[in-house]
Each structure stands twice: as structure tokens, then as C-alpha cells.
Amino acid sequence: MKLIASDKQASFAKKPYITKGYYPAKLLKVKEFKDRDGNWKEGTYGRQLIFEFGIYKSDEKGKPTEPMTVEQEGDFKGEKKLVDVILPKFVYHQYKDKKTGEYRTAITPNSAITKIMKALGWEFNPSGVDTDSLIGKFAEVNVNDYKPEGGDKISSINDVGKYEGPAFDASKLRNHETNMTANIKKTVTPPTEPKNASKKEDIIAKKTNLKELKDEGHVTEQSYEQGIEQLDAELAELENL
């Protein structure tokens, strides 16, 4: 993704929960914050990009060792699954002029998005930046948490800084599994299959919860669509039993 810059200065799944602190993290993806139709979702100040970071465990010296995982609810009651921790960082890359409605780049020497990209090794250049060159780079992220009204605690990236820990061979580290359903490990198996009626209720409740998470910005539009498609397929299968 090629982004323009300016030398003018100016100041999914459901998010998992991990302990607050500093973690080594690898940039997995940079994508535009758009709806399912490909239209920009306008923020308070303009348009945003989503930087997705895979969070790593580290040894006592701060060197990354393996992707961090958390246990989440599975498809049935009593079932659990392990998923790799991937956290998004939303950041403005275009500001909207309130008077003219025109957009200007947020990639300036002192901006938040520039700080993130410099932490990933980019040197500021007014000619722009190709974010693909940053994929796979490591940084140190400051993870905080908050609790949505009526929900459980979830984690968010508060800040992104330069990784300054010991040297390591990134090629020897396991990559994060971004397709979370491919990384399911059942740790508890229900003794019996729930009745169809109970299954349907669970699926409908999951669809409702997924929509609330999407509306609150805790899952992306793409993750929401994939989740709904999977749940609808499960409903259809139950109705054919």
C-alpha cells in the first residue's frame, strides 16, 4: 500500500484479553478501515488505517520466543479453543478539513502514524511510504485494557515503540495464525451434544454478540462477515437434521 507524505509538521474475531504491559510484536497486516462495500468508515478526524500486530511472549531479557495465545469460548458450552493474540491499532492516515471537506495526509514528521512506522524501521521521507515494506517488522507495544459496558475486559494497543531487546532470528519463530479457526485446540469437550434447540439459541446469541462487537469497533467488517457466514451455515445444517 503506497501512502503519500508531507514534510509539514503537526502534532475478529473479538479482541482477546492479556495482562497489561509491554510486549514484542510483529506487524502482520496494514489495511484500510472500510465497510463491506469498500467505502471508508469516517472517523472523528478523517480516515484510518488498521495496523494488525501479532503479540509474542518473551524471555527474561525481552526477546520474543513464541506467539502469545489465549483461551476463548468454543462453539459449544464447555468447549474452549486457543487462539493467537492479534491486536489492532487504529491510526489516522488522512485528516479531513472541516471547512473544505478535502483530505490531507497525516504522515508528517511528528504525527502518530509516522511514529508507528518509524518504530518499525521506516525513515521519514516526504515522497511517501509503502507499508508492505513494514510487514514482518518487530516493535514493542504497550498493551492496555478496558471493559466495554456490559462486556468482558479486552486488550488494546496503547502505544507502539521501537524494539530494543536482544537480537533474534525472526525466521525461527512461529508465525501467528491469522485464520483463527485453523488454530483451534479443544481443551474441554462437552460430555454430550446439546439439543438442536439449545444449539440454535447459542448460535443466535453469538450472531447478536458479534454484531454488537462490530458496531463497537471491536471486530473488523471482514471478520464480522466471515463469522456471520459461518454461523448461518451452522443454522442451516441444524435445520436440515
Side-chain angles (χ1 to χ4, degrees):
M1 183 188 302
K2 181 70 174 179
L3 305 177
I4 62 173
S6 168
D7 56 7
K8 296 180 180 179
Q9 297 191 29
S11 47
F12 33 30
K14 175 184 177 181
K15 287 184 184 178
Y17 170 71
I18 59 176
T19 305
K20 292 190 293 185
Y22 291 87
Y23 297 89
K26 180 170 70 174
L27 182 65
L28 304 178
K29 186 186 298 184
V30 179
K31 55 189 179 183
E32 298 168 333
F33 188 33
K34 293 183 175 181
D35 62 23
R36 68 179 68 186
D37 297 320
N39 301 314
W40 282 99
K41 287 189 173 183
E42 296 290 336
T44 304
Y45 303 106
R47 295 169 175 172
Q48 295 172 291
L49 297 179
I50 307 171
F51 286 67
E52 288 189 354
F53 286 92
I55 310 301
Y56 277 81
K57 294 180 181 179
S58 61
D59 61 18
E60 65 279 359
K61 295 182 179 179
K63 181 172 67 175
T65 56
E66 62 178 331
M68 178 168 285
T69 60
V70 293
E71 190 177 79
Q72 291 186 348
E73 294 297 323
D75 296 327
F76 303 106
K77 292 180 180 179
E79 185 186 59
K80 303 290 184 180
K81 61 182 178 180
L82 290 176
V83 297
D84 290 342
V85 177
I86 299 173
L87 296 178
K89 176 65 175 175
F90 289 75
V91 60
Y92 285 99
H93 90 287
Q94 287 184 339
Y95 291 126
K96 185 175 183 179
D97 189 294
K98 293 183 178 180
K99 293 182 179 179
T100 66
E102 296 180 347
Y103 292 91
R104 58 182 175 84
T105 181
I107 307 174
T108 57
N110 295 328
S111 67
I113 190 171
T114 296
K115 179 179 181 296
I116 291 174
M117 294 190 294
K118 289 175 70 175
L120 292 163
W122 179 60
E123 293 185 6
F124 182 83
N125 187 331
S127 65
V129 56
D130 184 352
T131 58
D132 288 345
S133 67
L134 304 178
I135 303 301
K137 303 295 185 181
F138 274 78
E140 182 182 71
V141 296
N142 178 11
V143 175
N144 209 332
D145 61 42
Y146 66 99
K147 186 175 182 180
E149 185 175 353
D152 298 324
K153 273 187 176 182
I154 57 178
S155 294
S156 63
I157 294 178
N158 184 52
D159 194 21
V160 179
K162 185 177 179 181
Y163 172 79
E164 296 181 339
F168 63 94
D169 186 349
S171 66
K172 294 183 178 180
L173 296 176
R174 178 174 75 80
N175 292 324
H176 280 70
E177 178 54 69
T178 54
N179 180 10
M180 300 175 79
T181 58
N183 195 36
I184 294 177
K185 298 180 181 179
K186 294 181 179 178
T187 57
V188 180
T189 302
T192 57
E193 287 287 314
K195 294 181 179 180
N196 285 355
S198 297
K199 286 185 179 180
K200 289 180 180 179
E201 291 176 0
D202 287 344
I203 292 172
I204 292 171
K206 286 179 181 179
K207 289 178 68 176
T208 301
N209 183 57
L210 189 59
K211 185 177 185 305
E212 291 175 352
L213 290 170
K214 187 213 37 151
D215 292 342
E216 294 171 358
H218 303 317
V219 297
T220 65
E221 192 76 29
Q222 182 180 7
S223 296
Y224 170 75
E225 291 177 2
Q226 291 174 346
I228 291 297
E229 182 179 354
Q230 180 177 338
L231 292 171
D232 284 342
E234 293 177 10
L235 275 176
E237 184 178 350
L238 285 175
E239 290 172 356
N240 291 328
L241 291 178

